[in-house]
Amino acid sequence: MGNALILVDAQRDMLEGETAVEQAETFRAALFELLERARAAGVPIVHVQNDGAVGEPDQPWTPGWELSFRALPGEPVVRKAVSNTFEANPALADVLRAMGVDAVVVAGLQSELCIQATSRGALAHGFDVTVPSDGHTTYDDGEPAAAIAERVTRELEADGVRILDLEHVVFAR
């Protein structure tokens, strides 16, 4: 068995333009590097696209809703309107297992919402989960984004998620 990359909500509204997270260009480059390493290893890649409400920057079929990284043939794009990708896509766990996946790397946005919920969803489905400590981020919300991301990292580690620096994430089939 091997691992897969679940790239969560790497959408234009959060990585480009006025609604982007702080230091979006650097974070986007880090996600792109992770994506390219997964592609080079030939592991399954799932792109997750959030469907925001009407008027939100990620409202479906608006420029902000578009993925920042084009999915290549064979890389499924799944949509969601809730934080947990597995809840929004009940067949996802079975699809991943059919692809020979028993472990997932979860990266993207936002730390305290979709990264945390999707990681916990993967754990609930029996996957080993790795989250790069520098592979997720969010917005300031009552505390600095970095503090939120750090707290989420600690909480996920307590839940049983493996936490690694992005440079130490290895993809294997």
Side-chain angles (χ1 to χ4, degrees):
M1 300 290 270
N3 61 3
L5 173 62
I6 300 177
L7 190 57
V8 180
D9 300 349
Q11 291 170 244
R12 292 181 61 193
D13 70 307
M14 290 189 260
L15 293 175
E16 303 170 28
E18 293 179 10
T19 59
V21 294
E22 190 172 319
Q23 299 187 16
E25 187 174 314
T26 301
F27 185 69
R28 186 180 187 285
L31 289 181
F32 183 72
E33 177 193 328
L34 188 67
L35 176 61
E36 288 299 299
R37 287 180 22 221
R39 286 174 171 161
V43 302
I45 297 165
V46 177
H47 299 264
V48 181
Q49 189 170 30
N50 191 67
D51 289 344
V54 172
E56 293 293 317
D58 58 354
Q59 175 183 331
W61 314 112
T62 64
W65 175 77
E66 296 171 358
L67 293 174
S68 286
F69 309 113
R70 187 173 55 88
L72 298 181
E75 295 177 0
V77 176
V78 298
R79 295 171 58 185
K80 63 177 184 52
V82 297
S83 294
N84 181 348
T85 303
F86 288 89
E87 179 184 342
N89 297 274
L92 180 58
D94 291 334
V95 169
L96 288 169
R97 282 194 191 86
M99 294 162 65
V101 172
D102 63 356
V104 295
V105 175
V106 178
L109 299 119
Q110 291 176 242
S111 303
E112 75 283 18
L113 298 170
C114 302
I115 295 300
Q116 191 165 44
T118 296
S119 296
R120 288 176 172 164
L123 286 171
H125 282 281
F127 292 98
D128 290 333
V129 180
T130 299
V131 171
S133 58
D134 48 348
H136 65 98
T137 192
T138 193
Y139 296 93
D140 293 346
D141 187 13
E143 61 184 312
I148 295 169
E150 184 178 319
R151 176 178 42 79
V152 168
T153 297
R154 286 192 315 270
E155 291 171 0
L156 287 173
E157 189 170 37
D159 290 343
V161 171
R162 177 182 301 143
I163 305 297
L164 297 173
D165 289 341
L166 195 128
E167 67 184 274
H168 297 295
V169 173
V170 176
F171 293 101
R173 282 206 54 81

